[in-house]
Amino acid sequence: MNMEGECYYEGIGTEEDRQLALEMFKRSANFGNSAAKYNLARMYKNGEIVEKDYKKAIELFKSSAQMRFSDLKNIIEQHSDLVDENAKQKVTYLGNKINCMELGLNFDAGNYEKI
């Protein structure tokens, strides 16, 4: 459903239809698709088809990031013998960034300022 939504959003192989894309993203997000949650968050952030809602956008961005990090972390743990130290460090960095985001801190600022 998310891929179909992306096709409607971009007009790939069909007429561009952002309203239909929104509906497809919502359906897919309700089934727990992290990419659909991200796509939906962008629409709320930018006010596309829906009224701008930064609170809803942040909620969806966080949920998407947590799901993707969780999936990535599980893969790394299950296949740690196949993953080099650099990849493990990147996953740790990503986890720290997500934790800061949950606390409302700007991880990229280096001094973890409140956002």
Side-chain angles (χ1 to χ4, degrees), residues 17-55:
D17 187 337
R18 299 270 166 108
Q19 180 64 46
L20 192 51
L22 174 70
E23 295 307 315
M24 299 307 293
F25 293 151
K26 282 182 178 180
R27 286 184 200 164
S28 188
N30 285 337
F31 282 108
N33 184 296
S34 62
K37 287 184 179 191
Y38 177 83
N39 289 331
L40 193 54
R42 286 185 319 170
M43 293 186 85
Y44 277 105
K45 178 183 175 263
N46 298 326
E48 292 181 69
I49 308 300
V50 295
E51 192 171 320
K52 279 188 183 183
D53 187 339
Y54 291 118
K55 186 176 179 180

Side-chain angles (χ1 to χ4, degrees), residues 66-108:
Q66 288 168 336
M67 291 172 73
R68 288 179 178 179
F69 174 70
S70 178
D71 290 345
L72 179 60
K73 187 176 173 189
N74 288 337
I75 291 168
I76 294 291
E77 288 172 356
Q78 290 171 4
H79 303 285
S80 62
D81 57 322
L82 303 174
V83 180
D84 67 14
E85 194 57 38
N86 187 36
K88 291 177 185 175
Q89 289 175 352
K90 287 180 181 179
V91 170
T92 300
Y93 174 84
L94 178 60
N96 290 339
K97 190 168 188 171
I98 290 169
N99 289 339
C100 286
M101 184 173 58
E102 289 174 346
L103 295 172
L105 302 174
N106 184 356
F107 181 79
D108 292 320

